[in-house]
Amino acid sequence: MIDTCTRFTAFYGTARGGRVAYALGYTGLGVAASRFGADVALDLLSGESTERTRLTMVRKRPVPFPPEPLRFAGVQLTRWSMGRADARAGRRNLWLRGLDRAGLGFDS
């Protein structure tokens, strides 16, 4: 299954009073990412502090996508900005630099 979030990486957590662990936000990264996610889930269920559970991508949830129609406008502006950056030898405009600073997007 392919999923995504504003960070374009998986994120983790627990539910049902810590009895169920989850990993969301996978974007087709393969077997290694799935094994890592399973290890994180097991660490979360054990309640132990490990090197994996101390990672920011495990401790903090990503910013949610905005609701429509803001989502559509943001996607279109981002697509236009990325096309423009491609045409300008990679120089990113204010919008893309702002997304980078906010921790959103592929180059964040």
Side-chain angles (χ1 to χ4, degrees), residues 2-64:
I2 295 176
D3 187 20
T4 193
C5 71
T6 53
R7 283 194 312 225
F8 298 102
T9 63
F11 61 99
Y12 311 89
T14 58
R16 300 284 190 195
R19 295 185 315 252
V20 176
Y22 61 84
L24 303 170
Y26 280 90
T27 56
L29 298 174
V31 174
S34 298
R35 289 184 59 91
F36 176 79
D39 288 337
V40 170
L42 291 171
D43 288 348
L44 290 173
L45 290 173
S46 74
E48 295 179 34
S49 176
T50 66
E51 187 176 359
R52 287 183 289 262
T53 61
R54 289 188 298 270
L55 292 170
T56 300
M57 68 186 296
V58 174
R59 290 184 296 107
K60 294 188 179 183
R61 295 181 62 125
V63 175

